[in-house]
Amino acid sequence: MSNFERNTAKAAQYLTPFQTSTTGHFIGGQFEVPENAKTYTNTTPVDQSELGQVVEGTAADVDRACEAAERAFADWRDVSGAERKKILHHFADKVVERAEEIALVESMDCGQAIRFMKAAAIRGAANFRFFADKAPEAANGMALYQDDHTNYTMRYPIGPVGIITPWNTPFMLSTWKIAPALAAGCTVVHKPAELTPLSAMLLAEIAKDAGLPDGVWNTVNGFGEVVGKRVTEHPAIKAVALVGESKTGSHIMRQGADTLKRVHFELGGKNPVIVFDDADFERALDAVVFMIYSLNGQRCTSSSRLLIQSGIRDEFIAALEQRVRNLRVGHPLDPQTEVGPLVHTGHFNKVMSYMDIAREDGATVAVGGERRNDLGDGNYVAPTLFTNADNSMRIAREEIFGPVLTSISFDSEQQAIELANDSEFGLAGYIWTENTGRAMRMARHVEAGMLWVNSENNRNLPSPFGGVKMSGIGRDGGDYSFDFYMETKNVCIAHGTHNVPVLGR
Ligand code: NAD
């Protein structure tokens, strides 16, 4: 039996529970399918076949989840950091035990290749371990001395929080947002993406299994406009963390205005990778290919705009074309596959529409530009490279979110900065040069929350993660996450030496 056949057999086994019973909610520690609930059909992008029925949550379902989270908060906020650390490590152990199941289910639900989803499941466990270890110090603050007073600060959890996640790497991203909230002492109402609900239910099962008290973790399935909206409006929810599109961030800001929600947004991007003439050619080429074609290009930090300096442009583009042609597109459970099917037909159609837009705007479709009809009914896009583009074209300005790269050439450092910054987004940027001074000048001037120099996407969990402009508000990672999920209180104590102003004596 090949590894592909073995993966397929195992995936069928792990998907059976979803196909034979309706996927509902997890509220107050109970898995439930509300009576007379409406459901929708969840399909796999591999061949459009059905993966099961999922409950379309209602505002009333969300209200019950928020109330459960509010009740549970009264106790969870006072559970010691050491105890939270133990429970969250236990959670991570269970993720590792079920990593194969998580990866296979995730691949079939969202179309990402198994080679990446295996790592994503393990990274989910790492997210929990990292924040578990930080839980005992979450409340720590600062001491600020004055001559006559001492101020000290402490942090405490803000309350129940709403966490709204997208479909591109649902398992990993959910753990990235939920682990710090729990470590901080918040309780959670999770709203997974409607297109990829399955791994969120595995997470809920693990939460129960790991001994999280009832109501600390709640999951409500359904659509953004109903379930997501109500989460952002409910008065018990004190903060909302969204990973999603920029326009969803705007909706949430409006929806949360009446209850003055604290918000944290990780949104879209059109990230430049800037390759100078003096770059390490082979390493830059590897990184450029990896950062747009891995994860099907459905990645917020994908380097979807290649800015290539004119001295090496022809040679670099020729090598790049060859590599893009070589990419192995196929079934996500095949260990050889590098690019799988796109998550959903609607998204596939959006990505495909840019092939015509590119031609109409005058760019060259150097590689790809079509559907892979040889691969059956799945949402398979041939990895695509646009050349001879300029920054005014829609393919250079809009987030396509597929295995599609737009390349633009530049002459000078100044021009590279102008092109990089001529974008409504500012999530990430990548700089390839052997000149350290230039790297530092670029890092200073490119408008983005994160810059990688001579690197693809190395992640360091204590480092801040997030974007500027339309790419987001706030930072995740290390202590930055606690600042979002917690309130800071200042206490000022007099030394008994200062003059208290006297009135009316
Ligand atoms: P999306 O914004 O359509 O959906 C994200 C989530 O928001 C879903 O759960 C959806 O149901 C919910 N939602 C939709 N409308 C809502 C509303 N009115 N109120 C409350 N919730 C609502 O995003 P998507 O298409 O699922 O994901 C792709 C997007 O996510 C891309 O733009 C990508 O760049 C972005 N993303 C960003 C990061 C980052 O870290 N910056 C990471 C991954 C993905």
Side-chain angles (χ1 to χ4, degrees):
M1 199 188 241
S2 70
N3 281 340
F4 180 21
E5 287 164 342
R6 191 184 153 280
N7 284 346
T8 309
K10 282 272 185 183
Q13 176 196 328
Y14 291 133
L15 287 167
T16 302
F18 293 109
Q19 289 166 319
T20 50
S21 57
T22 300
T23 299
H25 310 310
F26 178 58
I27 297 177
Q30 302 301 317
F31 289 93
E32 57 157 75
V33 174
E35 227 174 295
N36 303 322
K38 266 171 76 180
T39 63
Y40 68 94
T41 303
N42 181 32
T43 56
T44 173
V46 170
D47 57 11
Q48 320 300 346
S49 61
E50 182 173 337
L51 291 179
Q53 292 294 309
V54 182
V55 165
E56 253 185 58
T58 62
D61 297 338
V62 176
D63 288 353
R64 282 186 300 111
C66 294
E67 285 152 22
E70 195 173 33
R71 280 193 301 275
F73 180 68
D75 293 328
W76 182 246
R77 69 175 163 201
D78 292 328
V79 169
S80 73
E83 181 62 18
R84 284 204 296 272
K85 172 177 173 175
K86 212 164 78 190
I87 296 176
L88 298 188
H89 269 297
H90 196 192
F91 186 101
D93 294 340
K94 305 242 163 248
V95 170
V96 173
E97 276 169 28
R98 296 180 70 173
E100 181 190 63
E101 174 189 6
I102 293 163
L104 290 169
V105 166
E106 187 94 315
S107 277
M108 287 301 287
D109 202 11
C110 68
Q112 302 278 22
I114 190 69
R115 64 167 65 214
F116 302 119
M117 288 307 95
K118 273 187 181 157
I122 295 300
R123 164 70 196 283
N127 289 338
F128 264 82
R129 290 203 197 288
F130 176 79
F131 285 107
D133 287 339
K134 287 185 73 68
E137 68 196 51
N140 284 357
M142 298 182 293
L144 301 162
Y145 290 96
Q146 295 171 279
D147 286 345
D148 296 315
H149 292 84
T150 295
N151 292 266
Y152 69 92
T153 70
M154 64 179 93
R155 288 190 299 203
Y156 61 92
I158 190 169
V161 297
I163 293 182
I164 302 179
T165 50
W167 45 255
N168 59 324
T169 43
F171 183 84
M172 197 288 288
L173 283 171
S174 302
T175 60
W176 175 236
K177 308 302 286 187
I178 294 174
L182 298 179
C186 296
T187 54
V188 167
V189 176
H190 180 207
K191 149 68 181 99
E194 49 269 44
L195 297 181
T196 53
L198 301 191
S199 63
M201 293 323 281
L202 300 181
L203 273 171
E205 285 176 20
I206 292 170
K208 190 160 174 81
D209 222 17
L212 271 171
D214 291 352
V216 169
W217 181 314
N218 306 275
T219 305
V220 185
N221 276 305
F223 295 100
E225 298 72 18
V226 178
V227 173
K229 181 168 182 287
R230 184 62 187 153
V231 169
T232 63
E233 289 171 344
H234 198 286
I237 298 292
K238 301 301 174 205
V240 172
L242 164 77
V243 184
E245 288 184 40
S246 303
K247 69 172 182 329
T248 308
S250 302
H251 285 311
I252 289 178
M253 247 187 182
R254 273 191 289 273
Q255 293 159 193
D258 284 344
T259 47
L260 289 181
K261 289 284 184 291
R262 179 183 290 184
V263 294
H264 184 168
F265 294 156
E266 291 185 6
L267 309 173
K270 192 73 187 178
N271 311 300
V273 51
I274 307 167
V275 182
F276 285 93
D277 289 346
D278 67 355
D280 180 325
F281 191 97
E282 286 303 322
R283 286 172 72 80
L285 182 62
D286 287 343
V288 166
V289 172
F290 181 77
M291 277 315 295
I292 181 65
Y293 300 106
S294 62
L295 297 176
N296 300 347
Q298 295 171 162
R299 177 183 202 149
C300 56
T301 48
S302 70
S303 51
S304 51
R305 264 191 310 155
L306 166 64
L307 307 182
I308 179 82
Q309 199 165 18
S310 43
I312 56 162
R313 181 192 53 204
D314 293 350
E315 198 188 343
F316 196 87
I317 295 292
L320 181 58
E321 285 180 10
Q322 195 51 52
R323 293 285 287 276
V324 181
R325 274 194 201 97
N326 289 348
L327 287 167
R328 288 188 293 264
V329 183
H331 196 294
L333 297 187
D334 184 342
Q336 300 298 318
T337 291
E338 293 170 324
V339 179
L342 302 194
V343 66
H344 185 258
T345 311
H347 181 61
F348 167 86
N349 291 336
K350 174 192 150 182
V351 172
M352 289 304 295
S353 74
Y354 282 94
M355 309 306 174
D356 288 336
I357 291 170
R359 291 184 186 100
E360 281 158 21
D361 284 355
T364 304
V365 182
V367 184
E370 69 223 341
R371 179 173 189 274
R372 282 287 301 264
N373 290 322
D374 55 317
L375 294 172
D377 291 335
N379 301 328
Y380 292 100
V381 173
T384 296
L385 173 65
F386 299 135
T387 55
N388 298 319
D390 69 51
N391 215 49
S392 68
M393 295 178 182
R394 286 181 61 192
I395 53 171
R397 308 199 75 76
E398 297 172 14
E399 185 184 46
I400 299 175
F401 223 57
V404 179
L405 176 61
T406 300
S407 72
I408 298 167
S409 94
F410 70 91
D411 294 314
S412 67
E413 191 177 310
Q414 185 53 35
Q415 201 187 353
I417 293 168
E418 284 166 16
L419 286 169
N421 292 344
D422 178 20
S423 170
E424 62 174 336
F425 297 110
L427 185 59
Y430 304 85
I431 296 158
W432 285 86
T433 174
E434 294 292 280
N435 178 331
T436 308
R438 170 188 281 157
M440 294 182 78
R441 291 191 297 277
M442 294 298 291
R444 163 83 181 79
H445 292 296
V446 172
E447 295 164 357
M450 297 170 286
L451 268 306
W452 278 272
V453 176
N454 295 334
S455 173
E456 74 301 344
N457 190 293
N458 167 61
R459 282 291 296 123
N460 177 41
L461 300 188
S463 297
F465 185 101
V468 301
K469 296 155 91 175
M470 292 301 277
S471 290
I473 296 177
R475 295 290 178 272
D476 267 327
D479 217 47
Y480 297 92
S481 299
F482 286 156
D483 265 343
F484 177 69
Y485 290 118
M486 302 180 87
E487 293 282 16
T488 296
K489 180 185 282 182
N490 188 68
V491 180
C492 180
I493 302 179
H495 302 170
T497 51
H498 74 294
N499 289 324
V500 180
V502 178
L503 298 178
R505 182 178 281 165

